[in-house]
Structures are given as structure tokens and as C-alpha cells.
Amino acid sequence: MYLKAVLLFEFLKENNINLDKIAHLFVNHGPGNFSGIRISIATAKGLAITNKLDLYGFNSDHVINQNYAKIIDLFNKGVLIKNLIKPHY
């Protein structure tokens, strides 16, 4: 998990993403590989807690052809529930 966290922070740095300017964090809660889903959720929860971010879970089925626009649409419609993450393995 340490390596994945390092990669995440490198990604944020390389793309000039400042967590202070983010209010919402979205995490894919499956379906998927057990370990991958658990690591993703744990990392997202850690970031959300330490940076006071609102955390929202979404389902893999909401993403079509790597287009995440539907996630934002669901968020704007109030369909995604804050801090409710139900893993689907």
C-alpha cells in the first residue's frame, strides 16, 4: 500500500493538484478485485479524513469507456450519498 500512496502523491504533485482546493473526493467501490477495492477505499478515506473532504462512492457500472462525466452528473443530481461506501467485490 505504501507504494500506491507514493504514486498517488507523485501524481498529485506532477499535475499541480492541491488538496486544499478540493472539496469532494470520489472513489470507485466496485465491483472489482477485493484487494484493489479495499486499498482504494482505505486511501480515499484517509485523504478524506486528513483533508476534511466529502467522500462519495460510485459503481464501476457508472463509468462507460473511461468517461467519468456520469459520476459528476450523478453527484449534481444528489444521487451519490456522502460518506456511504459499500464495497462490491
Side-chain angles (χ1 to χ4, degrees):
M1 180 150 158
Y2 174 75
L3 178 59
K4 291 184 187 271
V6 169
L7 291 173
L8 173 64
F9 287 114
E10 285 178 8
F11 172 83
L12 294 173
K13 184 177 179 181
E14 288 173 9
N15 291 282
N16 297 318
I17 299 172
N18 185 344
L19 290 174
D20 292 335
K21 304 216 186 277
I22 296 174
H24 311 293
L25 185 61
F26 300 88
V27 63
N28 182 342
H29 59 135
N33 174 287
F34 177 82
S35 297
I37 296 297
R38 295 303 300 165
I39 289 169
S40 298
I41 292 172
T43 302
K45 283 185 176 183
L47 285 172
I49 290 168
T50 58
N51 293 284
K52 297 180 180 151
L53 306 174
D54 292 335
L55 182 62
Y56 297 88
F58 66 90
N59 192 306
S60 295
D61 298 335
H62 294 139
V63 180
I64 299 169
N65 296 325
Q66 296 183 343
N67 181 354
Y68 289 82
K70 185 171 182 184
I71 305 306
I72 303 303
D73 184 48
L74 292 171
F75 169 74
N76 289 333
K77 289 179 179 176
V79 174
L80 301 180
I81 301 171
K82 182 173 131 181
N83 298 325
L84 178 63
I85 307 298
K86 293 183 177 181
H88 302 269
Y89 306 110

